Amino acid sequence: EKGGYPHFMLKEIFEQPHSLSDCMRGRVNVDKDNITLAGFIDNREKFLNAKRIIITACGTSWHAAQIGMYAIEEYARIPVEVEYSSEFRYRKPVIHKNDIVIAISQSGETADTLAAVELAKQHGAFIFGICNVVGSSIPRNTHSGCYTHVGPEIGVASTKAFTAQVTVLTMLAILIGKENGTISHDEYLKLIRELSLIPDKVSEVLKKNDQIAELAKTFTYASNCIYLGRGYNFPIALEGALKLKEISYIHAEGYPAAEMKHGPIALISNEMPVIAIATQSETYGKVLSNIQEIKARKGRIISIVTEGDNIIKNLSSHSIEVPATMPCLAPLLSVIPLQLLAYHIAVVKGCDVDQPRNLAKSVTVE
Ligand code: M6R
């Protein structure tokens, strides 16, 4: 059932070109030049009239929510707030009737997220679920939603569910933006075309697997790592760090690259790998100078860069190239090397990749 792979996690990482195609099937239509989501169409007025969107989730799903916030604010111009379900449910949040609350959960059973859904419902908000497990508790308790359709995810570390959550949120952002007139027709077509190319580009990134497995061998000495990114790649820094923590038991932190100088740069030494997610974007030059600051303090830099980038590559002790895409879609490519890196480091260290200690696939207790 692992399909010839040694672990479910590796199988699920490699499934991503396919699972993302499944997630987009019938939704991203290049031939018809449109994006369609049943959960949106049925509730079009609610989305177009929403004054605010609140996204609630835990763990990796919360990282997807962060990317969703960037995309919805950029393309649909609706204010978005992202909440940890466990905080949201207890902190007496202000929830209005015309708020849309999006709950993201792979399992659809996370206790805190389910409770956050119930709370938002009591306040009369419209609840939209983004879940993977069909018929699970969260989709049963929401008003509408959208399944990620990536099939069962068995590995405790979430991989293919994450990229599909990001894809659904991106489709939703584009669709709202198109319908409320924020996105021009040309931009809409460009986004559709670029989204449809993502599965093939993910396949390209997966070809770096052997390179990443080699790189992983040099990590066994590390007891701390820092992940840095800006913009759409900031949540990927958080996600890369979480993957490493949960399966290889190496302490890791993700930061927005510019936050380094507000404290964490004091930690830099040649003992601590710094993973910089530095693909092309408006803030590329800023990330470059953040990397130079780390280099000047003898930090060891491993970078994720866009194909053909020699500038950051030359500053790095190791670089992994990913194909070019639009900044809002970059997370779908830049997270893949980080999933593989966490996987291979855990394997080199002899950790139980699919069943890491102290963790459960569904957190059904709070
Ligand atoms: O099933 P959910 O998406 O609600 O689960 C949320 C988290 O428990 C989950 O993403 C967790 O952080 C993963 N183990 C991360 O890989």
Side-chain angles (χ1 to χ4, degrees):
E1 54 189 286
K2 292 187 195 134
Y5 289 95
H7 299 97
F8 281 111
M9 182 181 176
L10 191 63
K11 170 176 178 266
E12 288 159 4
I13 293 172
F14 270 83
E15 271 172 4
Q16 287 174 110
H18 189 78
S19 60
L20 289 178
S21 299
D22 287 346
C23 175
M24 288 192 258
R25 180 160 305 115
R27 294 168 167 176
V28 176
N29 304 303
V30 189
D31 44 342
K32 294 189 198 129
D33 283 341
N34 75 6
I35 290 184
T36 169
L37 285 175
F40 172 84
I41 294 164
D42 298 345
N43 302 285
R44 189 174 175 278
E45 295 311 309
K46 289 210 166 60
F47 278 101
L48 297 188
N49 295 327
K51 293 274 172 293
R52 177 172 72 152
I53 293 176
I54 299 167
I55 315 181
T56 185
C58 303
T60 285
S61 298
W62 186 89
H63 297 152
Q66 290 281 332
I67 297 169
M69 171 174 78
Y70 282 34
I72 294 170
E73 292 208 346
E74 175 170 2
Y75 290 110
R77 308 303 296 159
I78 300 173
V80 179
E81 288 164 24
V82 175
E83 297 269 357
Y84 285 111
S85 305
S86 55
E87 288 296 313
F88 187 63
R89 64 179 289 198
Y90 287 120
R91 71 172 184 80
K92 304 184 177 57
V94 176
I95 308 170
H96 297 125
K97 281 198 173 49
N98 56 0
D99 284 336
I100 293 183
V101 173
I102 301 180
I104 309 180
S105 176
Q106 186 287 129
S107 60
E109 299 295 346
T110 299
D112 281 323
T113 305
L114 185 56
V117 162
E118 291 303 335
L119 176 76
K121 249 202 219 166
Q122 284 162 21
H123 286 78
F126 173 72
I127 326 285
F128 189 88
I130 299 177
C131 298
N132 190 44
V133 178
V134 176
S136 54
S137 302
I138 294 172
R140 280 192 278 112
N141 283 284
T142 47
H143 297 116
S144 180
C146 188
Y147 282 114
T148 42
H149 287 312
V150 297
E153 187 182 68
I154 311 289
V156 164
S158 184
T159 54
K160 64 176 179 172
F162 171 75
T163 44
Q165 290 164 344
V166 172
T167 301
V168 168
L169 287 158
T170 307
M171 292 190 288
L172 191 62
I174 298 169
L175 198 46
I176 305 172
K178 170 70 175 35
E179 295 289 313
N180 72 12
T182 309
I183 303 183
S184 71
H185 192 63
D186 284 353
E187 199 170 11
Y188 180 63
L189 294 184
K190 185 169 179 221
L191 284 158
I192 294 173
R193 201 174 46 243
E194 287 294 328
L195 250 180
S196 71
L197 297 174
I198 289 294
D200 284 346
K201 291 185 182 182
V202 171
S203 299
E204 285 304 304
V205 183
L206 290 169
K207 291 184 186 157
K208 305 285 154 85
N209 184 43
D210 291 346
Q211 179 199 342
I212 296 168
E214 275 306 306
L215 171 64
K217 293 180 191 159
T218 69
F219 263 78
T220 41
Y221 72 90
S223 47
N224 291 289
C225 284
I226 284 191
Y227 288 70
L228 302 177
R230 291 179 85 120
Y232 284 97
N233 279 327
F234 159 50
I236 295 304
L238 301 178
E239 174 60 6
L242 178 61
K243 289 287 91 95
L244 191 68
K245 279 183 268 208
E246 71 177 329
I247 61 167
S248 75
Y249 317 141
I250 294 175
H251 173 242
E253 297 288 341
Y255 277 100
E259 276 296 301
M260 287 301 285
K261 60 172 91 56
H262 299 286
I265 200 159
L267 292 168
I268 300 295
S269 75
N270 58 5
E271 311 257 292
M272 184 169 64
V274 177
I275 293 116
I277 307 141
T279 53
Q280 285 301 333
S281 75
E282 278 173 11
T283 53
Y284 174 84
K286 306 274 178 196
V287 181
L288 173 62
S289 55
N290 299 141
I291 289 175
Q292 282 162 334
E293 286 156 13
I294 294 162
K295 184 81 180 163
R297 287 158 185 85
K298 310 246 174 311
R300 175 179 171 226
I301 294 149
I302 289 107
S303 57
I304 312 295
V305 296
T306 303
E307 269 167 10
D309 177 334
N310 288 323
I311 301 169
I312 290 183
K313 213 171 171 178
N314 287 338
L315 291 170
S316 311
S317 54
H318 203 103
S319 274
I320 300 151
E321 293 188 64
V322 298
T325 187
M326 293 174 78
C328 70
L329 304 178
L332 295 169
L333 304 182
S334 53
V335 76
I336 310 287
L338 305 186
Q339 295 170 343
L340 286 169
L341 187 62
Y343 171 79
H344 287 295
I345 293 172
V347 169
V348 174
K349 291 187 73 183
C351 301
D352 186 346
V353 172
D354 285 334
Q355 289 291 323
R357 66 188 182 204
N358 309 334
L359 289 171
K361 183 65 183 162
S362 297
V363 184
T364 52
V365 291
E366 62 168 299

